[in-house]
Amino acid sequence: MSQLNVVVLFGGCSPEHEVSLQSAAAVLRNLDRERFRPLPVGISRKGDWFLFSGSEAAIEDGSWLSLPECAPCALLPDRSARALLVRGAQGARLLPVDAVFPVLHGANGEDGTVQGLIELAGIPLAGCGTLASALCMDKHRAHLLASLAGVAVPHGAVVGPDAPRAEALRLARALGYPLFVKPVRAGSSFGITRVAQEADLPRALETALQYDREAILEEAVPGFEVGCAVVGRGADLLLGEVDEVELASGFFDYEEKYTLRTSALHVPARLSPADAARVKAAAAAVYRALGCAGFARVDLFFTPEGRIVFNEVNTIPGFTEHSRFPAMLRAAGYGFSQILTRILEEAMRA
């Protein structure tokens, strides 16, 4: 069987650029090289695309962009081409592309923008499509759809940059303190602030609006966070074991997500089999309601009363060896390379 050319996208114009480098290096190391020939394509912070023929270590440590193994490239939108245009000293050449695997986090990569380009080019896409990616990045609209699917969501209200301060204060008082202020569209907990008193609300809104044009005020849900890895589409879903985030204090912010300095992850979660099954069912319901396909991680809250409340969907979760997504699937008996193969095989069938 001949190898399939798979473009693995990494980097990107996002605050989560560095995280993407770690995830992409792990994906490249675990890809089945007998089945797939990876074409690593890095996107600089400025948005320039380069085919990189160097090592995974150079991607991981961020030095890839300064190395001679970089060649400027572009994914052709021409559906008849299905190719990567690579420019070099000897002129331009076309490399055929069988699939694209975006390993990009946050804006300009996880929000439907790159997915739109890939779908326009008619190339099989590993992961969620344009609409699902955009919806999952939008916390407000994702909550509306999850609620319609019968899954509980936090009470919240959206505030724009021009909203009168008095209106924001009124909405916050109606929700009650403490509450969270979040960018409507951002990832990895960027721009999120826990607000315990009214005096801190204006600064929290200012922080959130640095990352998006809208902010959401959201009630603080008691309990702890749980997550579920989902792979597949429609009725054919593979679910990982539920995990649990144990916090010493505060909330699961950017630093805690990537250092676990004071927090801990439990896989499987410390739940009864019946409660774990309820979490999985809620994750699958949200996944389907938002039109997800390929893979995603669904995050929820488990309250002291046993209620399950939807938090968010990460359509391109962390893919490092120590990330939550592969750990949940590993606990369910699926190896990293095995999961990557399944994701790509499904993309080719879609």
Side-chain angles (χ1 to χ4, degrees):
M1 182 183 297
S2 61
Q3 288 176 302
L4 299 174
N5 286 347
V6 177
V7 168
V8 177
L9 289 175
F10 64 89
C13 313
S14 162
E16 298 171 72
H17 182 97
E18 289 90 352
V19 181
S20 170
L21 304 184
Q22 309 300 312
S23 290
V27 168
L28 290 165
R29 288 191 182 107
N30 285 278
L31 207 59
D32 182 352
R33 299 301 176 96
E34 291 186 4
R35 299 279 307 281
F36 308 108
R37 177 194 177 202
L39 301 176
V41 172
I43 304 174
S44 74
R45 294 181 184 276
K46 295 180 180 179
D48 299 317
W49 291 42
F50 299 92
L51 176 65
F52 180 63
S53 57
S55 68
E56 290 90 3
I59 295 174
E60 204 164 30
D61 66 22
S63 64
W64 67 277
L65 191 55
S66 62
L67 299 178
E69 289 91 346
C70 280
C73 70
L75 190 67
L76 294 180
D78 186 342
R79 295 179 73 87
S80 64
R82 292 195 175 190
L84 196 67
L85 176 66
V86 184
R87 301 188 300 276
Q90 307 301 318
R93 59 193 174 106
L94 291 178
L95 288 177
V97 175
D98 296 299
V100 179
F101 198 138
V103 190
L104 302 164
H105 303 307
N108 303 305
E110 198 174 357
D111 56 3
T113 49
V114 164
Q115 289 77 10
L117 172 62
I118 298 165
E119 291 183 340
L120 181 69
I123 299 173
L125 166 66
C128 292
T130 304
L131 179 59
S133 299
L135 285 173
C136 290
M137 181 62 71
D138 189 308
K139 296 177 179 67
H140 174 56
R141 290 163 180 83
H143 283 184
L144 291 176
L145 287 171
S147 179
L148 290 172
V151 179
V153 300
H155 296 297
V158 175
V159 176
D162 301 322
R165 175 172 174 171
E167 176 65 8
L169 292 174
R170 184 190 68 78
L171 292 169
R173 288 170 188 156
L175 289 169
Y177 294 94
L179 55 79
F180 285 92
V181 180
K182 307 177 179 181
V184 170
R185 290 163 289 269
S188 285
S189 298
F190 280 107
I192 297 179
T193 306
R194 185 181 187 274
V195 179
Q197 56 187 0
E198 189 170 278
D200 297 330
L201 184 64
R203 179 172 293 182
L205 281 169
E206 181 181 341
T207 299
L209 292 171
Q210 290 175 3
Y211 291 90
D212 189 45
R213 63 182 181 273
E214 293 180 310
I216 186 169
L217 312 180
E218 194 174 282
E219 69 168 327
V221 178
F224 53 88
E225 185 174 322
V226 292
C228 185
V230 187
V231 177
R233 69 177 62 232
D236 184 22
L237 297 184
L238 184 158
L239 301 174
E241 289 299 323
V242 176
D243 80 348
E244 172 193 341
V245 179
E246 181 184 12
L247 293 175
S249 61
F251 68 98
F252 206 39
D253 60 11
Y254 179 82
E255 181 180 2
E256 285 299 332
K257 283 183 177 180
Y258 296 108
T259 68
L260 297 179
R261 188 171 57 86
T262 64
S263 57
L265 294 174
H266 300 279
V267 190
R270 296 173 297 181
L271 297 172
S272 70
D275 285 336
R278 290 197 300 121
V279 171
K280 291 180 181 180
V286 169
Y287 186 91
R288 293 187 178 107
L290 293 172
C292 296
F295 62 93
R297 193 189 75 229
V298 182
D299 295 337
L300 310 106
F301 299 109
F302 194 90
T303 74
E305 297 78 25
R307 292 178 66 235
I308 297 167
V309 182
F310 172 54
N311 182 20
E312 64 180 359
V313 177
N314 288 269
T315 55
I316 307 181
F319 267 102
T320 72
E321 297 284 1
H322 306 292
S323 294
R324 296 173 65 191
F325 181 85
M328 285 185 265
L329 289 161
R330 189 162 52 245
Y334 301 96
F336 199 172
S337 179
Q338 181 183 3
I339 290 300
L340 295 177
T341 295
R342 171 162 175 157
I343 289 170
L344 284 166
E345 285 177 343
E346 182 189 272
M348 302 297 295
R349 290 195 303 267

